[in-house]
Amino acid sequence: MKGIVIREFFGLMKGIKSILIILFITGISVLSARYMSSSSLFAEEASNPETTALAGLSFVLILFGALFVFTLSHDAVNRDIELQRIRLLITKTSRTSVIAGKFVAIWLFWAAVTMISFVIVSAITRTFVIHELLYLWVYLAFLASLCVLLSTLVTHRTYSVILSVLAGIAMPIIGLWSAFSQSSPVAAARYVLPYYPMAEQPVLLLVTAVEAGLALAAAVMLFRRKEL
């Protein structure tokens, strides 16, 4: 499992798309923190360091996090199946370890990205709001688990990339709509997707963590039954 985590993690780190995303997220986070700290439009918010410290980072990940995670790692499992590397992996480790290793690598990559932004923004704003970062990590664990499940469920990378883009666009739209909608059918989605807990009820992120675990369990069950 350790080898899978290392290979997947550095595979994500060295890609040009990953570098551009890291620069984009970090840049937006820094600019947002500086703007909110100095702008008169956010004078009331700027007095609260918890509001300004990770506002930009949270905003970017809530809007684009699903799209970023899915498009970068939509083929985490099915790539190895198509390239026929999966048989070598399962001779060296268990199928459960393969799924767990893929998930841990994806989550670690995004945890590292957010940590870089967190350290830079904390230095600029002179604040250290660790609980906001922990909320983001739970959210990213949820996305990483769905990403692994999608890659296990969809055999071909051509299809998984299309579904990942659609899911990455649809999830924040539905999630934010449900967070502020009073319509019962739509509002029900706020307890399934992590956007309402991120904005209003962080304690509900415990439900998000359970959902991530269930998604991983489903991916393990599917992978165990898959003909390789």
Side-chain angles (χ1 to χ4, degrees):
M1 177 177 164
K2 181 180 178 181
I4 295 173
V5 173
I6 293 173
R7 181 170 66 87
E8 289 290 328
F9 178 81
F10 285 104
L12 287 170
M13 274 292 188
K14 68 183 181 182
I16 184 63
K17 289 190 296 184
S18 302
I19 295 173
L20 292 175
I21 287 175
I22 291 172
L23 292 175
F24 174 75
I25 291 176
T26 304
I28 293 296
S29 302
V30 170
L31 289 174
S32 298
R34 284 181 171 176
Y35 180 73
M36 292 188 69
S37 297
S38 60
S39 176
S40 59
L41 295 175
F42 297 96
E44 182 177 349
E45 289 82 354
S47 62
N48 181 5
E50 295 189 4
T51 303
T52 59
L54 293 180
L57 180 60
S58 299
F59 176 76
V60 171
L61 289 179
I62 286 174
L63 285 185
F64 303 109
L67 185 61
F68 287 161
V69 174
F70 289 160
T71 53
L72 279 183
S73 302
H74 69 92
D75 58 350
V77 177
N78 58 26
R79 177 183 65 247
D80 288 334
I81 295 176
E82 281 194 10
L83 297 178
Q84 298 183 343
R85 295 185 303 208
I86 200 68
R87 293 182 181 179
L88 178 61
L89 287 177
I90 61 177
T91 59
K92 296 182 177 181
T93 187
S94 67
R95 296 195 180 203
T96 300
S97 295
V98 171
I99 295 298
K102 299 283 187 178
F103 165 77
V104 171
I106 295 170
W107 181 82
L108 276 179
F109 169 76
W110 288 103
V113 172
T114 51
M115 177 60 77
I116 292 170
S117 298
F118 175 75
V119 170
I120 295 174
V121 171
S122 295
I124 292 173
T125 60
R126 299 181 182 179
T127 58
F128 190 81
V129 192
I130 190 64
H131 67 271
E132 294 286 346
L133 183 63
L134 296 178
Y135 297 160
L136 288 176
W137 282 353
V138 174
Y139 166 65
L140 291 169
F142 174 79
L143 296 179
S145 66
L146 290 185
C147 189
V148 172
L149 177 59
L150 173 66
S151 184
T152 306
L153 185 62
V154 181
T155 303
H156 299 290
R157 288 184 287 175
T158 304
Y159 301 140
S160 64
V161 69
I162 295 173
L163 290 175
S164 68
V165 172
L166 293 176
I169 295 172
M171 275 185 58
I173 293 175
I174 296 173
L176 292 174
W177 183 15
S178 67
F180 300 103
S181 175
Q182 300 302 318
S183 174
S184 297
V186 177
R190 69 177 58 173
Y191 302 107
V192 178
L193 297 175
Y195 300 96
Y196 176 71
M198 289 278 290
E200 300 292 341
Q201 296 291 335
V203 69
L204 291 178
L205 286 172
L206 294 174
V207 176
T208 302
V210 172
E211 290 174 337
L214 292 175
L216 277 180
V220 169
M221 291 175 58
L222 287 170
F223 192 58
R224 284 178 176 175
R225 298 178 180 179
K226 191 178 286 288
E227 292 292 334
L228 303 175

